[in-house]
Amino acid sequence: MAEWHLRPGQLSLSELRHLLGGRVRLCIDAAAWPAVEASAAIVARAAAADTPAYGINTGFGKLAKTHIARTDLQQLQLNLVRSHSVGTGVLLDDATVRLILALKAASLARGVSGVRPIVIESLLALYNTGVLPCVPSQGSVGASGDLAPLAHLTLALIGEGEVRVDGVVMPAAEGLARAGLQPLQLAAKEGLALLNGTQVSTALAIRALIEAEDVFAAAVVCGAMSVDAARGSDAPFDARIHAVRGQPGQIDVSEAYRRLLEGSEIRRSHLLNDDRVQDPYSLRCQPQVMGACLDLIRNAARTLLIEANAVTDNPLAFAGADVDEVLSGGNFHAEPVAFAADTLALAIAEIGALSERRIALLIDSALSGLPPFLTQDAGLHSGFMMAHVTAAALASENKSMAHPASVDSLPTSANQEDHVSMATFAARRLLPMCANTRRIVAIELLTAAQGIDFHAPLTTAEALHAVYLNLRERVSFLREDRVLAVDIAAAEQLLASEALTPMVAELLPSWRPE
C-alpha cells in the first residue's frame, strides 16, 4: 500500500477525495513534528503549574472555574471522553470516519493543540489498519466542536466503545488487539483536543461536496440532452448573452451547454422552420440556474478546504519568544461549515428542482411536441407518467431538507454555549439530498433518451450521443409499459459511477477545485 504524507495545513481537495477510499497508508510529514513536540511541552508545563489553564487543570464548559488536582489530570481527560460519549442514531459510514481520522490527525499536527506525537500516530494507526471507530451520527450542535461524535471516535483510541473492521462491529479493545495496537493513555488536555473540533461536520460536508459535484455534472449533461429531446434552441447559450451579465458560473456553464450541443442533427433539422420564439425557462435558463449552483458549490469548496486545514480545538498552545501562552478561543464554532452546508443544500435542491421541471416538460406533449408521456400508444400505456411523480416527490423532499440549519440555535451547557451552529446536521442531511437529486436526474436521463429516440434517424450531438449509447446498453427504448423502477435504478447506477463527470471536467477545467 502506498504511503501518503499528510502536510498539515496544506491538504488539497483532490487529496481529501483520495483519502476517502482508504487505499493509502497515512503518515505525517516529518517537518510537522517539532512544532507538535513544542506545543505538548507547553501543555505539560501548564499542567505542572498552579495557574489555572482551561481544560488542562480545570473543569470544562460551565465548570471551567473548578480547579483539578495534578493527581487527577489523567482521570479528568478520561472522564471527559466517557461523559461526552452520548451520541445516538445510525453510525457514520466507513469513508466518512476515515476522513474524520485524517482531518483530526492533520489538525492536531499543526502543532498548537498541545498533544503528544503518540496521539496523532494513534489516529493514523486506526486509519491505516482499518480499525474504524463506531461513531453515531446524531448528538452534535456544531458549537464546542463535534463533541459527542468525536468522543465516540476517541473512545476507540482508549480501547473503549466499539469499532468496525471490514464491516464487522466489535468491542474496541478486541479490534485494537487484532491490529496489534495498544489503547492510548491520555495525558493532560489530550481528551479535550480530540473532542474539540469541527472535523465531523467538515468531513460530512466534504463528502457531500464531492457527491454534489458529480450530481451537478450529470445534470448539465442530461439538461443538454433534454434540450435536444424537446427540440429546444441553443441560442440562449450564446456567449454574448452571458458575458454582459458577468456571473462567472453562468459564463462557464453556458460554454458547457454550447459544446455539448455542438453538431446536433436534431437542432439543425428545425433551425429554419421552428415557429417557437422562446423555450420554457427549464431549458432556456439552464446557464443562469446551474451557473448560480456552480458558484455556490465553488464557494462551499473554498470554505470547506480552509476548514479541513484548520485548527479548531480549544485552548491552543502558542510558543513565544519570551513567554509561552495557552489561549482560550472559539475556533470550534462551526458557523463557516454550517453556512457552506446550507448553501450546498440550496444548490443540490435547485439542481433537482430544475431537472424535475424538464421531465415535466418532456412528458407534456403540448410543450415538447413529443407523444404524451413519451409513449407511442398513450392511454393503453402510461409511459413515464409515474416516473415524473417519483421525480416530483424527490424534489419536494429536497425542498423541505433545504431549509437552512444555521439559522437555528439552541443554547446548551447551562447557557455557557449560548449560540450554536447546527453544522453537523446541516452537513449530515446533504448526502440524502444528493441521492434524491441523482435519482431525479436519472429519470431525466431516461426521458431525454426516450425523446431523442422519437427524432430518429436524426441524432443528437456527438458528446451526448455517447451518453445516450451508454444508457441504451443498460436500458432499452420504452415501447410498452414495464417496471420502470428497474430502469431508474440502472440509470442511477450509471450516474453514480461518475461516468459523466469527466465529460464536464473536460469542458470546464476549473469547475472542480483541487
Side-chain angles (χ1 to χ4, degrees), residues 255-315:
E255 180 180 355
Y257 285 110
R258 288 194 304 275
R259 294 175 65 182
L260 284 168
L261 288 161
E262 189 174 17
S264 167
E265 292 180 0
I266 297 173
R267 173 58 179 154
R268 279 199 301 268
S269 72
H270 64 90
L271 199 57
L272 299 177
N273 58 2
D274 193 343
D275 59 357
R276 290 178 295 182
V277 178
Q278 291 183 330
D279 293 325
Y281 289 3
S282 60
L283 298 180
R284 188 186 355 148
C285 297
Q286 288 187 79
Q288 288 79 6
V289 177
M290 294 297 284
C293 291
L294 178 57
D295 285 334
L296 288 184
I297 292 171
R298 285 170 167 170
N299 289 337
R302 281 190 285 270
T303 296
L304 294 174
L305 181 57
I306 292 170
E307 195 72 6
N309 283 290
V311 177
T312 54
D313 64 294
N314 178 64

Side-chain angles (χ1 to χ4, degrees), residues 93-115:
D93 62 277
D94 287 355
T96 300
V97 174
R98 277 193 290 266
L99 188 54
I100 295 168
L101 289 167
L103 293 180
K104 175 56 81 172
S107 178
L108 297 180
R110 290 284 300 274
V112 292
S113 296
V115 303

Side-chain angles (χ1 to χ4, degrees), residues 66-297:
T66 304
H67 184 74
I68 308 299
R70 288 178 208 167
T71 54
D72 291 330
L73 294 187
Q74 269 195 319
Q75 189 64 43
L76 173 69
Q77 299 300 312
L78 188 59
N79 291 348
L80 175 71
V81 176
R82 290 170 174 165
S83 68
H84 283 54
S85 297
V86 293
T88 188
V90 299
L91 299 179
L92 296 180
D93 62 277
D94 287 355
T96 300
V97 174
R98 277 193 290 266
L99 188 54
I100 295 168
L101 289 167
L103 293 180
K104 175 56 81 172
S107 178
L108 297 180
R110 290 284 300 274
V112 292
S113 296
V115 303
R116 296 166 298 158
I118 193 174
V119 175
I120 300 167
E121 290 168 345
S122 296
L123 288 165
L124 297 180
L126 294 185
Y127 182 103
N128 292 335
T129 58
V131 179
L132 302 177
C134 290
V135 181
S137 59
Q138 294 174 286
S140 174
V141 294
S144 196
D146 291 312
L147 293 172
L150 286 173
H152 285 274
L153 189 90
T154 306
L155 274 180
L157 286 177
I158 63 176
E160 299 184 16
E162 293 182 323
V163 296
R164 192 164 50 212
V165 181
D166 295 327
V168 178
V169 174
M170 63 187 69
E174 180 183 343
L176 293 178
R178 286 189 181 188
L181 303 176
Q182 293 296 318
L184 176 66
Q185 300 294 317
L186 296 172
K189 205 266 182 183
E190 289 178 344
L192 184 59
L194 287 162
L195 269 60
N196 256 184
T198 64
Q199 285 78 32
V200 174
S201 52
T202 302
L204 285 166
I206 288 173
R207 279 217 63 198
L209 169 72
I210 295 166
E211 293 282 328
E213 290 171 339
D214 294 325
V215 169
F216 170 87
V220 169
V221 174
C222 293
M225 289 181 68
S226 291
V227 171
D228 251 6
R231 296 174 73 247
S233 172
D234 57 359
F237 309 136
D238 190 294
R240 292 167 292 183
I241 295 173
H242 308 286
V244 295
R245 191 177 198 183
Q247 294 289 354
Q250 178 179 328
I251 291 170
D252 291 345
V253 171
S254 67
E255 180 180 355
Y257 285 110
R258 288 194 304 275
R259 294 175 65 182
L260 284 168
L261 288 161
E262 189 174 17
S264 167
E265 292 180 0
I266 297 173
R267 173 58 179 154
R268 279 199 301 268
S269 72
H270 64 90
L271 199 57
L272 299 177
N273 58 2
D274 193 343
D275 59 357
R276 290 178 295 182
V277 178
Q278 291 183 330
D279 293 325
Y281 289 3
S282 60
L283 298 180
R284 188 186 355 148
C285 297
Q286 288 187 79
Q288 288 79 6
V289 177
M290 294 297 284
C293 291
L294 178 57
D295 285 334
L296 288 184
I297 292 171

Side-chain angles (χ1 to χ4, degrees), residues 251-451:
I251 291 170
D252 291 345
V253 171
S254 67
E255 180 180 355
Y257 285 110
R258 288 194 304 275
R259 294 175 65 182
L260 284 168
L261 288 161
E262 189 174 17
S264 167
E265 292 180 0
I266 297 173
R267 173 58 179 154
R268 279 199 301 268
S269 72
H270 64 90
L271 199 57
L272 299 177
N273 58 2
D274 193 343
D275 59 357
R276 290 178 295 182
V277 178
Q278 291 183 330
D279 293 325
Y281 289 3
S282 60
L283 298 180
R284 188 186 355 148
C285 297
Q286 288 187 79
Q288 288 79 6
V289 177
M290 294 297 284
C293 291
L294 178 57
D295 285 334
L296 288 184
I297 292 171
R298 285 170 167 170
N299 289 337
R302 281 190 285 270
T303 296
L304 294 174
L305 181 57
I306 292 170
E307 195 72 6
N309 283 290
V311 177
T312 54
D313 64 294
N314 178 64
L316 301 177
F318 294 96
D322 300 314
V323 180
D324 297 331
E325 293 187 87
V326 178
L327 301 178
S328 186
N331 279 359
F332 47 67
H333 198 297
E335 196 82 344
V337 180
F339 281 168
D342 278 349
T343 55
L344 270 177
L346 295 175
I348 295 164
E350 277 299 274
I351 292 167
L354 193 65
S355 177
E356 181 275 328
R357 287 292 80 204
R358 291 191 295 269
I359 298 167
L361 182 154
L362 290 174
I363 65 172
D364 186 342
S365 59
L367 293 173
S368 67
L370 296 166
F373 303 108
L374 299 172
T375 184
Q376 291 170 318
D377 193 0
L380 177 62
H381 298 290
S382 295
F384 285 90
M385 179 190 296
M386 291 307 297
H388 169 247
V389 173
T390 296
L394 295 170
S396 182
E397 187 175 307
N398 270 358
K399 291 173 186 176
S400 295
M401 287 197 286
H403 183 279
S406 58
V407 298
D408 182 31
S409 178
L410 198 65
T412 60
S413 191
N415 276 310
Q416 177 74 4
E417 298 162 8
D418 57 355
H419 182 276
V420 300
S421 71
M422 299 298 178
T424 320
F425 167 69
R428 179 165 52 84
R429 64 179 162 162
L430 295 177
L431 278 179
M433 291 184 69
C434 285
N436 285 345
T437 295
R438 184 186 298 108
R439 289 162 188 152
I440 296 169
V441 177
I443 294 170
E444 182 185 5
L445 176 58
L446 293 171
T447 56
Q450 185 84 354

Side-chain angles (χ1 to χ4, degrees), residues 2-7 11-27 94-103 106 124 127-128 210:
E3 193 168 79
W4 194 283
H5 290 252
L6 291 177
R7 295 178 299 161
L11 303 177
S12 68
L13 281 173
S14 59
E15 182 175 12
L16 297 177
R17 293 184 190 103
H18 190 66
L19 296 183
L20 280 167
R23 296 180 293 273
V24 296
R25 182 174 181 81
L26 292 183
C27 63
D94 287 355
T96 300
V97 174
R98 277 193 290 266
L99 188 54
I100 295 168
L101 289 167
L103 293 180
L124 297 180
Y127 182 103
N128 292 335
I210 295 166

